[in-house]
Amino acid sequence: MSGRRGSTDERGQGHTLEAVAAAFLLVASVSFALQMTAVTPLSASTSSQHLENQLRYTGAGVMASVEARGGLSRAIRYWDESDARFHDAPDGGYYTTDPPDNAFGRALNRTLDERNIAYNVHLVYEGASGDRARTRLLYRGEPSDHAVRASRTVTIMDRDPLIDADGTENGTQTVRNASTYFLPDADTGGPVHNVVRVEVVAWRI
Amino acid sequence: MADLRPRDERGQILLIAAFTLAVIFVALALVINSAIFTENLASQGEVAGSSEALTYQHQVRQSVTEAMAYANVYDESSPGASLGASVDAIDGQSSSQQARGGRVIDVSLESTTDGTRIADNASGGSPFRSSGGLSDWNLADGVERTRNVVVTTRHSDLPPSGTPFRLRANETGTPANVWTMSVWEDADDVVVRVDTADGDDSECRVAVAGAGTFQIDVTDGVVAGEWCHALTRDGTAGTPMWFATGIPTGSTYDVEIANGDAIEGNYSMVVSPRGSWNATTLTTGPATGTPYRTDAIYGATVDYAFRTSQVTYESEIEVTPGEAP
Amino acid sequence: MREFSSSTTVAPGPPRPPGGRAHTDDSRAQTTLDFAIGVSLFLSVMLFVFAFVPGILQPFELSGEQDTVLSERIASDLSQGTLGDPSEPYVLETHCTVAFFDEGSPSPSRCAFGGSTVQDRLSVEDHRNVNVSLRGSLRGADADLLCWDATSQRIVERGSGDCNPDAGDDDRLLTGGEAPPQSNDATVTSRRVVSLQQTNVTMRVVIW
């Protein structure tokens, strides 16, 4: 019958095409499934979730243990009035390679530097015009994509003295009467000078 | 011979099989995706942020502690108003800073407990005598609570072991129930010995180098920056040795100094209730002489609220910095 | 005379040209070449897929997956409440910390843990191995395991002369649980920085 003409041997190309299409469909679906699963959050890599958690908790722990002895407040007041910058800070006004020589700097050096973790320290406070101002305390470069941040808030009062380079309190200069101090008085009528948030941004190198 | 099925009725079996497998693989991808998401959530640590509420509560407590110390020392004529202004400023600044992170913070002063601050801050230090010149005298009688007892002195200004300086908390009406701290120097060390009213005693030695001043923080238990077991907990069992241990709760006690001539330096403490200071041995203010007393805030209760999109946390924070547990 | 191909013993004639009657292909007993190519391609792809798909599940077969989460939780609990005051996180209380590492003695009632071994105190099942240790560099040198010196009641480093845990007085190394395997693969470590006796120490929790 002529109607049967389109069966088997003329259908050869049809079979091939069908088989090729089926194979292609299979490969496409497998590659789709594969996109999902190549890397999980806990795969071993330099930026796995576990390591980021460790960094965040380490930063928070360092700041908490330093602040338990008042070290963070003293680090913010470790200011050289005559030089208009932090004690022994290089020309940019912020520390770069060496952390400050106070309890906070030593704690950061001992816990983070030893483990090849780079960090920046920023101070966020209310600026002179009421907006939010940000100062670098220590800057080591642009953080990588998987950097984490730990922060802690410290209150500075009007008559808190500045800290000299050797760590003792300055007898005459206070936060309020030091003319070059970077922190403005956010509450001019009251005893609070400013509320500063110390942020430590850490990442693995 | 049997009539084999013609090929064209075979249908597209290959394609159907491929479709089925493809659907199965897509479903597998969905399952794996949900497993990864679960792993992500599980390994993220604190997701809801409730530990953030506690951490920030601790920071608020420290800020209010600073404000209270400032109010007691610099605004002694009206410490309550000063503390109120400070808490308002802290509230305003914290709110605006945390609002940028999606959190609402609310801090307000609810109530304060009055107290008296007794201090001797003569510059350069002075012997611990009363305003009348007595060497053994009472600072306060009928004290219920004491906090932030700090003694600042130099190694060279300490007495030898034969005549130590003593600070006592003596139960009113029961002279046998007394907590005593004795301080003396022994070669390079500063020795602090505590005898509690329960009969326990302990001694700690801290090496203090140099001629500069150092602090003995009696209620916190820190001597020259080092933790002292004689002022906190002693021995493997952790026997409590804190200030006024052994005086039954509910009784008042008197704070006394013995052998105040032998030591030179400064000291400060805050006691409650306000009227418990001894009018014969203390002057009424720093302007009238030393040692003096001023009105002070003993403690404050601060309302604290922390809200994010996932957590609402409210609590009352008791701020009594430096109170022995 | 007509020949019937199925009933005579005469040899079949030459193959019919294409376009002939359909049923001649049933007896051809040969597959079409195109079909063969197509199906073999399909079969090879399918074999490849079946061999490959189990590899997709490989990241999920890691046996120690939950160790990471467990060590994180233990480290968070210990540093933020169990060994100290929950309202003052990351600050440890000396006596409770030292009592925590005292395996074999009952826990003090005022401390926030119970049991007599580190496994009990952390509520970790017996088939998991856990090690908790405190390290610090008190003298400015490299970090070393810390030790409680009962005579001076102070935290010292293991390498300093004051630490004698075998000498009969109550000196104690601040480490608890099993000893971690020396070759470090297959262990998961969590670290925290805490404050103990006014100094910064690092707490390490190792699970394997």
Side-chain angles (χ1 to χ4, degrees):
Chain A
M1 286 244 231
S2 64
R4 298 280 187 118
R5 192 160 293 220
S7 61
T8 44
D9 36 357
E10 277 181 6
R11 283 215 49 191
Q13 291 94 1
H15 289 164
T16 314
L17 280 179
E18 176 197 350
V20 168
F24 178 72
L25 188 62
L26 268 183
V27 170
S29 72
V30 166
S31 65
F32 168 77
L34 204 57
Q35 306 266 349
M36 304 267 170
T37 72
V39 174
T40 71
L42 292 179
S43 322
S45 78
T46 55
S47 65
S48 78
Q49 187 68 39
H50 178 62
L51 293 175
E52 285 189 21
N53 286 346
Q54 304 300 302
L55 278 184
R56 184 180 301 121
Y57 287 127
T58 301
V62 166
M63 283 203 285
S65 50
V66 168
E67 183 55 15
R69 298 184 293 273
L72 271 187
S73 174
R74 280 197 286 273
I76 296 173
R77 292 180 278 131
Y78 192 66
W79 181 262
D80 191 344
E81 164 81 1
S82 48
D83 251 348
R85 64 171 81 145
F86 291 103
H87 286 292
D88 301 326
D91 281 333
Y94 50 86
Y95 300 95
T96 51
T97 331
D98 297 318
D101 188 20
N102 48 30
F104 183 46
R106 283 192 287 271
L108 284 176
N109 185 23
R110 212 165 20 178
T111 49
L112 296 180
D113 276 331
E114 309 279 306
R115 305 186 40 77
N116 270 347
I117 297 173
Y119 51 95
N120 295 344
V121 182
H122 295 279
L123 303 175
V124 182
Y125 51 93
E126 185 175 315
S129 46
D131 57 350
R132 183 174 76 156
R134 213 178 157 91
T135 304
R136 290 176 181 171
L137 181 64
L138 191 151
Y139 192 74
R140 293 223 177 130
E142 195 71 23
S144 72
D145 288 337
H146 57 268
V148 296
R149 180 176 68 182
S151 62
R152 193 165 179 103
T153 308
V154 178
T155 302
I156 308 286
M157 309 295 291
D158 269 339
R159 295 207 211 179
D160 282 345
L162 293 183
I163 307 288
D164 289 335
D166 57 355
T168 55
E169 295 183 346
N170 191 310
T172 51
Q173 289 164 352
T174 67
V175 154
R176 190 172 56 177
N177 64 21
S179 48
T180 61
Y181 192 49
F182 73 99
L183 201 62
D185 193 351
D187 179 35
T188 41
V192 172
H193 192 79
N194 213 319
V195 176
V196 181
R197 193 168 73 174
V198 182
E199 294 180 355
V200 174
V201 178
W203 67 98
R204 281 187 182 268
I205 46 173
Chain B
M1 183 168 135
D3 188 14
L4 295 174
R5 254 176 60 181
R7 300 243 179 193
D8 50 354
E9 285 180 16
R10 181 177 63 82
Q12 324 296 44
I13 297 219
L14 285 185
L15 217 47
I16 289 173
F19 266 127
T20 310
L21 277 178
V23 168
I24 287 176
F25 288 146
V26 169
L28 180 69
L30 177 71
V31 168
I32 288 175
N33 197 21
S34 58
I36 291 179
F37 184 63
T38 308
E39 200 175 286
N40 196 7
L41 281 186
S43 64
Q44 246 181 32
E46 188 58 65
V47 175
S50 56
S51 74
E52 220 172 73
L54 279 181
T55 311
Y56 205 71
Q57 173 181 313
H58 180 55
Q59 295 170 35
V60 167
R61 178 186 277 122
Q62 285 192 314
S63 298
V64 176
T65 302
E66 297 254 345
M68 192 186 294
Y70 183 95
N72 284 346
V73 173
Y74 294 112
D75 285 336
E76 63 263 19
S77 50
S78 58
S82 167
L83 183 63
S86 297
V87 173
D88 283 340
I90 290 173
D91 177 35
Q93 301 246 323
S94 306
S95 310
S96 72
Q97 272 193 357
Q98 296 293 325
R100 289 188 175 91
R103 304 175 202 104
V104 175
I105 308 277
D106 206 12
V107 178
S108 62
L109 184 63
E110 190 190 304
S111 66
T112 58
T113 309
D114 288 335
T116 299
R117 178 169 169 260
I118 299 172
D120 172 352
N121 61 354
S123 69
S126 69
F128 290 1
R129 284 197 271 262
S130 74
S131 60
L134 299 172
S135 177
D136 298 331
W137 52 290
N138 281 27
L139 282 81
D141 302 309
V143 173
E144 287 165 15
R145 300 157 80 181
T146 310
R147 70 172 179 82
N148 218 10
V149 182
V150 179
V151 174
T152 311
T153 182
R154 289 193 176 80
H155 188 197
S156 47
D157 291 335
L158 287 176
S161 64
T163 54
F165 160 72
R166 290 190 217 275
L167 178 71
R168 282 200 283 256
N170 197 336
E171 188 179 349
T172 314
T174 317
N177 245 4
V178 58
W179 179 96
T180 310
M181 174 184 86
S182 317
V183 181
W184 66 89
E185 58 115 1
D186 182 9
D188 283 332
D189 294 338
V190 170
V191 186
V192 175
R193 183 197 159 96
V194 168
D195 297 88
T196 69
D198 286 331
D200 305 306
D201 63 88
S202 170
E203 197 176 282
C204 81
R205 292 171 171 266
V206 176
V208 175
T213 58
F214 67 93
Q215 275 194 353
I216 301 176
D217 195 331
V218 178
T219 42
D220 259 352
V222 177
V223 175
E226 292 203 24
W227 185 84
C228 173
H229 60 92
L231 288 169
T232 52
R233 281 183 186 272
D234 181 44
T236 321
T239 319
M241 312 283 294
W242 305 99
F243 185 84
T245 304
I247 309 231
T249 50
S251 326
T252 61
Y253 52 90
D254 307 333
V255 180
E256 306 167 355
I257 280 185
N259 209 9
D261 270 339
I263 189 175
E264 268 189 37
N266 296 91
Y267 60 88
S268 152
M269 68 183 73
V270 182
V271 298
S272 168
R274 181 167 276 182
S276 54
W277 60 286
N278 189 326
T280 54
T281 54
L282 297 170
T283 66
T284 51
T288 41
T290 187
Y292 62 88
R293 53 80 58 189
T294 59
D295 284 345
I297 297 176
Y298 182 80
T301 307
V302 172
D303 277 337
Y304 165 72
F306 177 92
R307 268 175 225 112
T308 67
S309 60
Q310 291 166 318
V311 173
T312 302
Y313 177 83
E314 290 175 11
S315 83
E316 281 186 2
I317 309 175
E318 288 279 339
V319 184
T320 47
E323 186 172 48
Chain C
M1 187 146 56
R2 282 257 215 118
E3 290 174 305
F4 289 93
S5 54
S6 55
S7 58
T8 62
T9 53
V10 175
R16 295 295 183 108
R21 291 205 303 236
H23 70 273
T24 53
D25 287 324
D26 299 353
S27 56
R28 216 176 127 257
Q30 279 176 349
T31 57
T32 316
L33 191 59
D34 294 330
F35 180 70
I37 292 173
V39 166
S40 58
L41 177 69
F42 174 77
L43 280 180
S44 66
V45 165
M46 196 150 87
L47 278 178
F48 163 76
V49 160
F50 280 155
F52 193 70
V53 162
I56 292 181
L57 301 176
Q58 186 266 335
F60 302 93
E61 286 165 9
L62 299 174
S63 58
E65 283 273 286
Q66 61 272 50
D67 288 353
T68 311
V69 180
L70 185 62
S71 71
E72 278 284 307
R73 294 263 186 255
I74 290 177
S76 285
D77 276 344
L78 284 181
S79 61
Q80 289 182 16
T82 311
L83 294 181
D85 190 357
S87 64
E88 198 171 349
Y90 301 112
V91 177
L92 302 187
E93 198 266 319
T94 309
H95 275 88
C96 276
T97 305
V98 175
F100 178 81
F101 293 106
D102 183 14
E103 303 192 76
S105 307
S107 313
S109 52
R110 66 185 179 88
C111 295
F113 50 84
S116 56
T117 65
V118 167
Q119 308 261 118
D120 290 339
R121 288 167 181 161
L122 295 174
S123 307
V124 169
E125 298 132 345
D126 288 334
H127 66 269
R128 289 198 197 292
N129 302 307
V130 61
N131 174 287
V132 182
S133 60
L134 292 182
R135 285 155 199 277
S137 68
L138 304 174
R139 294 172 299 174
D142 290 334
D144 192 8
L145 196 59
L146 293 178
C147 176
W148 166 252
D149 178 21
T151 36
S152 64
Q153 299 204 28
R154 195 156 280 153
I155 305 287
V156 294
E157 287 176 347
R158 177 178 53 179
S160 76
D162 299 322
C163 182
N164 303 306
D166 311 313
D169 54 353
D170 278 327
D171 287 2
R172 191 171 308 137
L173 279 180
L174 295 184
T175 177
E178 323 276 327
Q182 291 305 316
S183 57
N184 248 339
D185 45 17
T187 61
V188 178
T189 307
S190 289
R191 274 170 230 273
R192 297 284 187 273
V193 173
V194 292
S195 170
L196 180 64
Q197 269 198 3
Q198 314 275 315
T199 48
N200 289 344
V201 303
T202 305
M203 174 193 299
R204 261 179 34 155
V205 177
V206 184
I207 304 245
W208 68 97

